[in-house]
Amino acid sequence: MSSPQAIAHSFNKILHAPRNTTKARSSTDVEDCLKKLRRLILVDGIPSAADPTLRPRIWKILLRVHDAPSNTFLEYVGRGPCEVREKIRNDTFRTLATDRGFKERVREDMLVRLLDAFVWRSQDRQDCQQLGFTYVQGMNVLAAPFLYTMPSELEAFFCFSKFIEECCPLYVQPTLEGVHRGLKLLDRCLKIVDPELYAYLRSKNLSAEIYAFPSVLTLCACTPPLNQVLQLWDFLLAFGVHLNILCVIAQLLLMRDEVMSSSGPMRLLRTFPPLEALPVIGIAVTLVRDLPPELYDELVKHPYEVRKT
């Protein structure tokens, strides 16, 4: 097994490769780089302890955030409180409230500032976006990993904005349409991969809407510890946030015996056990093979595809 230093060297080799040539990077070069990064993330994970600069650099590449103009961010911040500031403040103070490391690195005013700026940005971009955005429940938790990971509020803002607008826009609509679609898909997927567990939960009147809402809404960022959440997000940013649905199922399967032997499983499901990213990712990857292609296609598209009415 390679050491964290050796793995970090492999990542850096990929990240630095384009700088060794005078030619501009072609789209083929970029895709080749992304393919190599994704493979390393899946096989070895990002060794952030060996090189703390890796995760923020890789997240920016995966999100295709190439520019972070400071004047744009400062202009939004300079506008002051947005129209939903009170709603933002009702949530920000309790964001990852039990995580001391997060609280030491990310102050509440940083979260408020980023979310205010995002609302201002969305108002300016209404004409060029298919979907509109404002602040909605859960957005504070989705912003938290970016502020924790990125070296600056500026980079966190642009990564968060790109993530929301392109990776999971339906998750942050006022109706939380993508979240509810994800929960229905979770039930359908669980029925296929573990019909016995699905039937037992249904016999207790437990659907994903009841026990999995926080995990789907926040892409598992609500389940500590944060270092495991970040490792899971490495995987989701590399391969798609739709896989979070299978990651929630993976957590269910890891506690399956306890759930099946409990007469009141909701007591267990109210608070999931501490997140363990590697086993969750391992199970999620294997579950992909068990799903019919049509269902998997629905899963892939549910965070962003607007249904035609």
Side-chain angles (χ1 to χ4, degrees), residues 292-307:
E294 309 79 31
L295 178 56
Y296 186 70
D297 187 56
E298 273 189 71
L299 192 65
V300 169
K301 293 175 180 175
H302 87 272
Y304 63 83
E305 185 178 72
V306 179
R307 285 175 173 163

Side-chain angles (χ1 to χ4, degrees), residues 10 44 57 77-78 122 146 178:
S10 298
D44 294 313
R57 285 189 287 149
V77 171
S122 300
F146 292 105

Side-chain angles (χ1 to χ4, degrees), residues 94-199:
R94 52 174 170 245
T95 306
L96 306 188
T98 59
D99 191 295
R100 184 181 296 177
F102 175 78
K103 287 296 183 185
E104 287 173 357
R105 190 181 298 188
V106 180
R107 301 184 313 274
E108 185 187 358
D109 64 287
M110 293 164 67
L111 262 173
V112 172
R113 200 155 39 238
L114 182 149
L115 293 166
D116 265 336
F118 177 75
V119 174
W120 286 123
R121 168 187 164 98
S122 300
Q123 288 181 3
D124 283 1
R125 289 165 58 87
Q126 276 177 345
D127 293 340
C128 63
Q129 294 184 140
Q130 185 180 14
L131 294 165
F133 299 96
T134 184
Y135 176 78
V136 298
Q137 174 191 7
M139 219 181 243
N140 57 312
V141 183
L142 294 177
F146 292 105
L147 280 167
Y148 185 84
T149 298
M150 291 296 151
S152 68
E153 286 181 53
L154 176 70
E155 290 159 285
F157 168 74
F158 282 101
C159 287
F160 170 76
S161 299
K162 193 79 175 286
F163 174 73
I164 292 295
E165 292 163 2
E166 295 189 7
C167 297
C168 54
L170 293 183
Y171 271 52
V172 293
Q173 294 304 300
T175 59
L176 303 180
E177 180 189 340
V179 176
H180 293 298
R181 275 163 64 175
L183 290 161
K184 289 184 175 68
L185 284 163
L186 197 157
D187 277 329
R188 290 169 61 193
C189 292
L190 182 62
K191 188 175 183 179
I192 288 169
V193 302
D194 194 332
E196 188 183 7
L197 177 59
Y198 171 80

Side-chain angles (χ1 to χ4, degrees), residues 249-283:
I249 291 177
Q251 290 171 81
L252 286 176
L253 297 179
L254 287 169
M255 56 193 296
R256 183 185 194 278
D257 292 345
E258 292 172 84
V259 170
M260 292 291 289
S261 60
S262 171
S263 58
M266 189 56 201
R267 286 197 301 272
L268 296 169
L269 298 173
R270 192 168 285 117
T271 305
F272 278 20
L275 186 65
E276 294 181 78
L278 286 181
V280 165
I281 291 167
I283 293 169

